[in-house]
């Protein structure tokens, strides 16, 4: 598969969003009798969006090319789309209207030395850089220790979503809220696919996960999209136990397509103390390795 079937993506996304909204939720009268469709009918969405039924049907069948921003906004409002869903709809529309050669965003396979220096300067919090496919591009020692199970797979770059779906036993042990983590990983990957549908590596990753994981196939078919900007994650670590971490995810303007992720914990909390213990363990472990390996080979992954 060289690229995503864009018309099919549009059709499935819009129809799935339409199916989840009841007439009552949309403020429409619910007449008696059994409805043939789940959620809203196409004509009801058209009415709510202020467009003709024929035009909305054309949009839902994949014809987003040429749709104005006001029409897309009206459809998004009618379908009660969240921010990530709205942006996904606009990304699909941009791709549908793109002309000429297919554009694939090129991402660096490694970060600039200055970015690695920033990571290494963060000594009391796990910090790493990933791309839109969830490949880990760079990290500091604390992140390497925290995500050690992910790196047991010899494939490089290490990929967190591949770990979640293809090593579910290890992932369930690592992530306390595994089901939420798995749901969000697939939703973030689909959001990336909407804005970068011709990324060969992304298409191959989705194909691999779809072939080897029934759970991923289910999550992918849901058409859900989600941002990963901030929140809470609970992890289990074999050395320091459970960690209740706050995360912040930040785009790197100097590195388009890459994102900096940092885990922190409130000062004085058990998790903050556990992170200090983990940092001490990492320092001791690295010192022991330097003694046994004077050449100091790079272990950042």
């Amino acid at each position: 598969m060289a690229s995503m079937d864009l018309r099919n993506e549009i059709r499935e996304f819009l129809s799935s969003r339409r199916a989840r909204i009841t007439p009552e939720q949309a403020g429409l009268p619910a007449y008696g009798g059994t409805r043939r469709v789940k959620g809203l009918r196409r004509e009801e969405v058209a009415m709510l969006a202020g467009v003709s039924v024929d035009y909305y049907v054309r949009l839902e069948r994949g014809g987003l090319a040429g749709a104005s921003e006001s029409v897309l906004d009206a459809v998004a409002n009618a379908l009660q789309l969240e921010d990530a869903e709205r942006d996904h709809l606009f990304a699909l529309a941009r791709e549908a209207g793109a002309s000429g050669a297919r554009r694939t965003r090129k991402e660096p396979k490694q970060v600039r030395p200055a970015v690695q220096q920033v990571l290494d300067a963060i000594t009391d919090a796990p910090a790493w850089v990933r791309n839109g496919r969830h490949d880990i591009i760079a990290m500091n020692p604390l992140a390497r220790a925290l995500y050690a199970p992910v790196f047991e797979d010899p494939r490089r770059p290490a990929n967190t979503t591949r770990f979640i779906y293809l090593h579910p036993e290890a992932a369930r042990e690592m992530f306390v809220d595994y089901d939420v983590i798995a749901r969000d990983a697939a939703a973030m990957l689909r959001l990336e696919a909407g804005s970068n549908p011709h990324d060969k590596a992304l298409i191959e990753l989705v194909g691999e996960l779809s072939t080897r994981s029934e759970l991923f196939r289910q999550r992918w078919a849901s058409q859900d999209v989600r941002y990963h900007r901030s929140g809470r994650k609970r992890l289990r670590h074999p050395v320091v136990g459970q960690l209740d971490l706050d995360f912040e995810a930040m785009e790197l303007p100097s590195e388009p397509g890459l994102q900096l992720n940092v885990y922190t914990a409130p000062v004085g909390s058990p998790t903050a103390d556990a992170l200090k213990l983990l940092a001490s363990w990492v320092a001791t472990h690295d010192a022991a390795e330097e003694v046994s390996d004077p050449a100091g080979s790079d272990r950042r992954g």
Side-chain angles (χ1 to χ4, degrees):
M1 183 170 57
S3 63
M4 294 170 54
D5 183 340
L6 188 58
R7 293 186 70 88
N8 186 61
E9 286 294 311
I10 294 168
R11 180 171 60 253
E12 291 189 359
F13 177 67
L14 288 177
S15 62
S16 68
R17 303 307 92 174
R18 175 167 58 83
R20 71 181 181 177
I21 302 174
T22 65
E24 292 84 357
Q25 290 172 324
L28 298 174
Y31 299 107
T34 303
R35 292 172 64 90
R36 295 182 179 179
V37 299
K38 183 180 179 181
L40 295 178
R41 300 185 179 97
R42 291 188 181 92
E43 55 266 31
E44 291 170 331
V45 177
M47 180 184 67
L48 290 168
V51 298
S52 71
V53 175
D54 287 344
Y55 185 57
Y56 178 75
V57 169
R58 180 161 67 86
L59 294 178
E60 191 173 295
R61 287 178 175 171
L64 286 182
S68 67
E69 184 173 323
S70 61
V71 166
L72 295 175
D73 266 327
V75 170
N77 291 335
L79 295 175
Q80 301 180 14
L81 300 187
E82 298 177 352
D83 288 347
E85 295 171 325
R86 183 181 293 265
D87 289 348
H88 186 58
L89 176 63
F90 274 74
L92 292 173
R94 284 194 299 272
E95 289 298 326
S99 60
R102 291 173 175 172
R103 294 169 290 107
T104 300
R105 185 179 63 216
K106 293 184 178 180
E107 298 163 349
K109 295 182 179 180
Q110 59 185 18
V111 298
R112 292 178 293 108
V115 176
Q116 184 63 57
Q117 290 168 17
V118 170
L119 292 173
D120 292 338
I122 304 174
T123 58
D124 57 353
W128 71 100
V129 173
R130 68 165 178 84
N131 60 23
R133 294 185 298 275
H134 304 170
D135 295 329
I136 298 178
I137 305 301
M139 74 212 81
N140 66 5
L142 201 51
R144 179 64 176 80
L146 183 66
Y147 269 47
V150 179
F151 293 95
E152 290 181 5
D153 186 330
R155 297 177 63 175
R156 294 292 180 270
N159 184 281
T160 55
T161 300
R162 183 181 287 116
F163 169 74
I164 289 166
Y165 281 103
L166 301 189
H167 302 279
E169 291 185 5
R172 286 184 182 276
E173 178 61 29
M174 178 176 175
F175 295 109
V176 176
D177 305 302
Y178 173 82
D179 291 338
V180 173
I181 294 295
R183 179 201 66 191
D184 289 352
M188 289 185 289
L189 209 60
R190 182 170 280 285
L191 187 64
E192 173 69 12
S195 60
N196 203 17
H198 308 301
D199 182 345
K200 182 179 178 181
L202 174 59
I203 294 165
E204 290 175 349
L205 175 62
V206 171
E208 177 189 7
L209 297 177
S210 298
T211 300
R212 299 179 59 187
S213 171
E214 173 62 26
L215 178 59
F216 181 81
R217 287 195 295 274
Q218 295 173 3
R219 296 298 190 191
W220 191 254
S222 73
Q223 292 287 325
D224 290 339
V225 292
R226 186 167 280 104
Y227 282 123
H228 184 264
R229 291 170 169 168
S230 64
R232 170 67 63 93
K233 282 189 179 179
R234 300 189 297 167
L235 285 75
R236 301 184 189 92
H237 192 274
V239 174
V240 298
Q242 182 167 320
L243 300 164
D244 298 336
L245 296 157
D246 299 312
F247 73 85
E248 294 291 332
M250 297 155 277
E251 300 292 335
L252 293 176
S254 63
E255 304 282 3
L258 298 186
Q259 186 178 81
L260 170 65
N261 295 268
V262 182
Y263 283 159
T264 60
V267 175
S269 67
T271 294
D273 293 339
L275 283 177
K276 291 179 182 178
L277 179 61
L278 183 59
S280 176
W281 179 84
V282 169
T284 302
H285 183 73
D286 286 351
E289 285 197 345
E290 286 181 5
V291 171
S292 61
D293 180 13
S297 58
D298 186 3
R299 298 179 181 84
R300 285 174 181 152

